[in-house]
Amino acid sequence: GTPAAATAGNFPNGTSNGGAGDSNGNGLGFDAAEAVFDYNAVNTFRGANTLAITIELPSTVLAGVRAGTQLTPEQNAVGFWGRTELNGVQLDRMGRPAINTALIPPVPRGSNIPNPAPDLRTAFNTGHPRDDRANFTEGVSSVLAAVYPIGGNGQAPTVASLLLPDILVYDPTSNAGFFGDTLGTLGSANFFLAGGRKLSDDVVSVEVSILTDPDTPFNLDGGEDTLPLVATQNVADDNGLIITDGSIVGPGTEFAGMQRVVLFPYIGAPNTNPTPAP
């Protein structure tokens, strides 16, 4: 049966126990077998359609070498970012999700939250990734140190340099997925998170778990001394088994723990009455 997701669970909406309340020990906090549902946040994107264009091409094309060439990790990692323009004027941009939302001052923000930090959001939205480290490292470092556990112990500038520039880096030799692989040397300008992004990657949960982990940035020291304070944003893949790439469905749905079969294309049924949005 389907869990009673609309009812209050063991934790308030928007919070997570990091799996500590896993009642049947299967590593999933929200499935039909759980006696206590651990994840119950509201998915604000539910009912919205997602529009995309999918282009399939060999990784060798991205690396700039002949088809069939055996690639090496150093061959032309690619950085992706996109921008929204109106009449030729850039209004917004994105590489990784939620960088502006979670890290560009002022954070926290709101009409009831006094915050003396300068508002850099418009400057970030209209900027270019090549300038990110020069223009926003100080502001992002201040947010990391003040708001997130990962910014403690003097780590904030190092973490800021890892998250900037705001581009999604893909190493054509890797299929590790979001934050799953690296290029370069930690602490140097040539270091990048280079695993790309799979359709099934729960990217927001990954980012939340990293920002709330007090360990050395991204646990790249090989240790896992302290677990993230928040392990998930409590929303799993709404597509259930429709995204079919062989991955395991995460917590937050009745499909939790099931494996998606390998099939292409990744297309789900359209919502019949999506909520109108500007």
Side-chain angles (χ1 to χ4, degrees):
T2 302
T7 63
N10 200 30
F11 298 89
N13 281 343
T15 66
S16 167
N17 67 330
D22 183 22
S23 59
N24 63 2
N26 67 351
L28 302 172
F30 194 58
D31 63 17
E34 296 290 353
V36 177
F37 300 142
D38 301 330
Y39 305 91
N40 65 344
V42 175
N43 184 353
T44 56
F45 295 101
R46 192 177 185 91
N49 281 321
T50 300
L51 306 179
I53 297 174
T54 301
I55 301 174
E56 186 177 19
L57 70 165
S59 292
T60 50
V61 173
L62 298 177
V65 297
R66 297 177 65 89
T69 302
Q70 184 66 40
L71 298 177
T72 63
E74 294 76 23
Q75 280 186 295
N76 296 343
V78 183
F80 294 94
W81 67 288
R83 59 186 174 186
T84 302
E85 293 184 351
L86 177 63
N87 297 325
V89 178
Q90 180 176 316
L91 302 178
D92 194 8
R93 63 174 167 120
M94 180 172 286
R96 301 185 186 99
I99 296 298
N100 193 335
T101 304
L103 294 172
I104 300 300
V107 177
R109 53 180 80 114
S111 59
N112 298 323
I113 303 175
N115 195 325
D119 194 327
L120 302 180
R121 289 174 292 174
T122 298
F124 184 85
N125 282 336
T126 58
H128 193 287
R130 63 172 172 252
D131 303 317
D132 280 353
R133 284 178 173 168
N135 293 344
F136 301 107
T137 295
E138 183 178 351
V140 170
S141 296
S142 67
V143 170
L144 287 165
V147 179
Y148 298 104
I150 193 65
N153 302 320
Q155 298 183 137
T158 301
V159 178
S161 70
L162 301 182
L163 294 172
L164 298 173
D166 184 20
I167 55 177
L168 184 67
V169 180
Y170 170 60
D171 166 13
T173 69
S174 174
N175 63 355
F178 196 63
F179 281 30
D181 210 342
T182 63
L183 282 176
T185 304
L186 177 63
S188 68
N190 71 340
F191 181 88
F192 292 98
L193 296 156
R197 175 177 175 178
K198 299 177 181 179
L199 288 173
S200 59
D201 285 342
D202 188 354
V203 293
V204 176
S205 284
V206 172
E207 290 185 344
V208 166
S209 66
I210 288 168
L211 291 173
T212 63
D213 191 338
D215 287 338
T216 299
F218 308 110
N219 291 315
L220 295 175
D221 59 344
E224 184 65 43
D225 301 326
T226 306
L227 293 174
L229 302 181
V230 180
T232 175
Q233 95 284 21
N234 304 304
V235 176
D237 171 27
D238 278 340
N239 292 303
L241 299 180
I242 296 176
I243 291 182
T244 51
D245 61 359
S247 58
I248 303 296
V249 182
T253 168
E254 64 268 27
F255 298 120
M258 297 177 65
Q259 184 177 26
R260 303 177 180 92
V261 299
V262 178
L263 184 66
F264 191 87
Y266 309 101
I267 297 177
N271 295 313
T272 54
N273 292 299
T275 303

